[in-house]
Amino acid sequence: MSEGIDLTVIDDGDRSTITVERGTTLRDALRNEGFSVYGTVSSTLNCGGRGLCATCTVEVDPAPEPVHWHDRGAVRFGYPRLSCCLEVDRPMTVRLLEKHVWGQVLPRR
Ligand code: FES
């Protein structure tokens, strides 16, 4: 059995800890625990974790090096990271973002 890695998840001010198997995609890890990384429409209409729709963004700290072309673009232009393009390989703090319909990030309150 693989070692578990703790993730701190911040969702609208609530902070919780989940333990994730090393190598799990961050998107899948969050969804498996009942967290949504999407907006209302993109929760159904998304690319299924292929790194194409850019609707699964989250903020992560520490931020891993990007390995996917689309996630490299997110880093280059200062956008949140694509959770489907990040494998959990270390403890991280993940902040979920409030999104509108497709996945546009709403300004923080
Ligand atoms: S689910 Fe489409 S880019 Fe992540």
Side-chain angles (χ1 to χ4, degrees):
M1 178 154 172
S2 179
E3 138 195 25
I5 297 176
D6 287 341
L7 299 182
T8 301
V9 181
I10 302 172
D11 182 12
D12 198 22
D14 293 331
R15 182 180 287 259
S16 53
T17 301
I18 61 174
T19 302
V20 176
E21 188 174 327
R22 178 183 294 276
T24 305
T25 301
L26 182 57
R27 168 191 178 266
D28 295 345
L30 292 167
R31 288 168 52 101
N32 288 345
E33 295 291 331
F35 294 105
S36 176
V37 295
Y38 295 111
T40 53
V41 172
S42 58
S43 64
T44 303
L45 299 173
N46 61 71
C47 71
R50 295 183 189 90
L52 299 173
C53 69
T55 62
C56 65
T57 53
V58 296
E59 291 179 348
V60 291
D61 183 36
E65 286 297 311
V67 295
H68 185 279
W69 65 269
H70 202 166
D71 200 39
R72 277 195 294 274
V75 170
R76 179 169 182 203
F77 294 106
Y79 295 126
R81 304 293 296 273
L82 303 182
S83 62
C84 70
C85 296
L86 298 175
E87 280 191 3
V88 177
D89 65 354
R90 70 194 79 178
M92 290 187 276
T93 298
V94 182
R95 182 183 299 274
L96 304 182
L97 303 171
E98 189 176 359
K99 296 178 180 174
H100 182 69
V101 186
W102 177 246
Q104 304 93 322
V105 176
L106 297 174
R108 282 216 182 102
R109 285 181 260 163

